[in-house]
Amino acid sequence: MDIEKKVCEIRDNLNKEIESVNNMNDLSNLKIKYLGKKGEITLLTSDMASLSIEMKKEVGRVANELKKEATDIISKIEQEIKEKELNEKLKSEKIDITLPSTKINVGSANILESLIEEIEELFLSMGYDVVEGPEVEKDLYNFELLNLPKGHPARDAQDTFYTFEDSLLLRSQTSPVQIRTMLANKEKTPLRVICPGKTYRRDDDDATHSHQFTQIEGLLVDKNVSLADLKGTFDIVAKKLFGNERETRFRPSFYPFTEPSVELDISCFNCGGKGCNICKGTGWITVGGAGIVHHNVLDNCGYDSNVWSGFAFGFGAERLAMLKYGITDIRTFYTNDLRIKDIFDRKEAE
Ligand code: DAH
């Protein structure tokens, strides 16, 4: 066949077939078909032995031209396909930053911890120190030096867990930290401390009792301390925790380590004092106990009670948190019910 004619035919076919190439796979098949070892263009020059020198030259020239043409067009198409594929990939992987993200549950501060911190900060601002004491305590500090000698009937109200060693127990109150503070700081009067911490009692657990709970104890030792000082301090705490409109009152009470002793009441934050189910119709809510430090306690710790005086108080941290956050069962604090977090988040957002 006339070589020119053959070349034209191959060129036409190639140009036609290249039209329908869509991807790299199609292109590589096309490349093999025309430029591979047995490709149509390659074969043009495979059988030239019988040709004259003139013809060999002629065939070589046109075949090479066609080969170059085919190589160029194939690499041009290759470039186009690569670009197209890259664009498609970029398009499909595009991150839409306008979409709202999935909310990550980050958790929040523990209710008791954050309440304790709030109280600590308040007392630190009034010049108090925050101190701690051991949870496994000596009977001597938990009871005896607090004016509760062995056999004192008031011990019954605070039955606790004893260790095999008779004189060690799980502290039933944070009041022993008062004793530890006084014994360790005789030269450092006046004293002002608060002590938050875990306490234990041999109670049956129910909505308002737990065998383990948290108290926040306070002690001030100075000269001429009166109930008025205690009232002023309590007033600040009540207003800080439950709002500026809160009123406070003392109710006579009994604790062996204070004389006189009082119950600390705040006007009900729910009904404003009119009477509701939270304050059981009285308009007042009891949040802790307090009093003027008993002279026996001062003397027991080596402070001359004719010179020194003081006030002390104790709050139940869970009770404060239950009132502040509207929690109705003390066990909620210890049962990992995550709804407690929602209650907290909601109240904090208000
Ligand atoms: N320790 C008492 C209790 O657990 C609470 C208390 C009352 C603490 C009067 C005090 C206080 O420091 O003065 O019931």
Side-chain angles (χ1 to χ4, degrees):
M1 187 202 277
D2 180 348
I3 184 73
E4 292 286 346
K5 213 170 152 202
K6 178 100 186 149
V7 164
C8 273
E9 202 176 289
I10 295 176
R11 182 185 287 120
D12 284 351
N13 286 344
L14 174 64
N15 284 338
K16 214 179 286 160
E17 281 172 42
I18 211 150
E19 292 279 292
S20 51
V21 164
N22 277 322
N23 50 42
M24 292 304 271
N25 199 27
D26 293 351
L27 191 69
S28 122
N29 288 339
L30 194 82
K31 205 169 168 181
I32 293 168
K33 181 170 176 198
Y34 288 96
L35 297 169
K37 263 193 199 155
K38 290 182 182 157
E40 292 186 19
I41 297 175
T42 318
L43 290 179
L44 282 177
T45 51
S46 65
D47 188 24
M48 297 210 292
S50 58
L51 298 179
S52 66
I53 294 185
E54 293 290 288
M55 273 307 282
K56 271 184 191 157
K57 271 190 189 163
E58 178 61 11
V59 171
R61 189 181 59 78
V62 290
N64 273 341
E65 266 175 26
L66 183 59
K67 192 172 176 187
K68 182 163 183 312
E69 227 175 274
T71 314
D72 285 354
I73 192 161
I74 285 172
S75 66
K76 183 175 156 250
I77 298 294
E78 185 177 348
Q79 205 55 38
E80 282 176 17
I81 291 174
K82 273 189 184 161
E83 228 161 79
K84 194 178 110 202
E85 284 181 355
L86 181 68
N87 279 339
E88 268 163 17
K89 200 167 172 212
L90 286 176
K91 216 173 184 180
S92 69
E93 286 177 3
K94 200 167 101 186
I95 298 166
D96 184 355
I97 53 166
T98 63
L99 275 178
S101 59
T102 327
K103 193 168 174 261
I104 300 168
N105 206 344
V106 287
S108 55
N110 176 282
I111 292 194
L112 282 179
E113 283 304 316
S114 64
L115 182 89
I116 288 169
E117 268 173 33
E118 195 179 343
I119 295 173
E120 280 177 359
E121 266 165 37
L122 176 65
F123 277 96
L124 285 170
S125 75
M126 295 195 281
Y128 283 67
D129 285 330
V130 179
V131 292
E132 288 186 339
E135 287 167 38
V136 179
E137 185 54 282
K138 293 177 182 172
D139 184 284
L140 184 69
Y141 295 168
N142 192 77
F143 290 130
E144 274 182 58
L145 295 182
L146 282 165
N147 208 24
L148 277 141
K150 290 213 162 71
H152 193 293
R155 282 192 177 211
D156 289 352
Q158 296 200 10
D159 196 10
T160 180
F161 303 92
Y162 290 82
T163 64
F164 287 114
E165 245 181 280
D166 213 16
S167 57
L168 285 181
L169 44 82
L170 290 186
R171 66 178 178 193
S172 58
Q173 48 186 349
T174 40
S175 304
V177 187
Q178 291 183 25
I179 302 295
R180 289 179 171 274
T181 304
M182 284 198 267
L183 289 177
N185 295 287
K186 274 184 205 144
E187 315 303 324
K188 296 191 191 137
T189 41
L191 303 178
R192 269 182 243 126
V193 293
I194 60 157
C195 161
K198 286 193 182 121
T199 49
Y200 303 83
R201 292 203 191 163
R202 211 198 64 78
D203 267 337
D204 290 326
D205 293 359
D206 63 23
T208 52
H209 295 84
S210 169
H211 59 281
Q212 182 241 292
F213 56 104
T214 316
Q215 284 192 339
I216 304 167
E217 187 84 14
L219 170 73
L220 178 140
V221 175
D222 205 339
K223 289 177 178 157
N224 304 317
V225 177
S226 75
L227 276 181
D229 299 310
L230 175 63
K231 182 86 169 15
T233 308
F234 176 45
D235 224 53
I236 291 171
V237 178
K239 288 184 164 54
K240 175 80 174 38
L241 291 183
F242 294 101
N244 269 338
E245 327 73 60
R246 293 290 66 75
E247 286 178 36
T248 55
R249 77 170 185 188
F250 286 164
R251 247 178 335 110
S253 186
F254 169 77
Y255 295 101
F257 30 86
T258 43
E259 178 61 35
S261 302
V262 294
E263 296 293 304
L264 303 171
D265 290 357
I266 58 169
S267 59
C268 181
F269 52 85
N270 191 46
C271 63
K274 282 192 223 96
C276 67
N277 62 342
I278 291 188
C279 60
K280 301 199 179 91
T282 64
W284 294 92
I285 296 172
T286 305
V287 292
I292 295 296
V293 179
H294 197 292
H295 58 86
N296 281 353
V297 175
L298 288 167
D299 291 335
N300 286 345
C301 295
Y303 290 70
D304 183 348
S305 55
N306 291 314
V307 178
W308 296 105
S309 50
F311 66 64
F313 56 84
F315 296 116
E318 285 84 355
R319 176 149 174 78
L320 288 179
M322 285 165 81
L323 291 169
K324 193 168 155 82
Y325 296 106
I327 296 161
T328 49
D329 193 323
I330 194 171
R331 291 167 292 198
T332 322
F333 290 107
Y334 309 110
T335 44
N336 283 340
D337 186 339
L338 286 180
R339 280 173 300 178
I340 200 171
K341 176 182 162 321
D342 296 336
I343 296 173
F344 182 62
D345 288 347
R346 225 177 21 248
K347 287 275 178 183
E348 288 299 288
E350 272 171 14

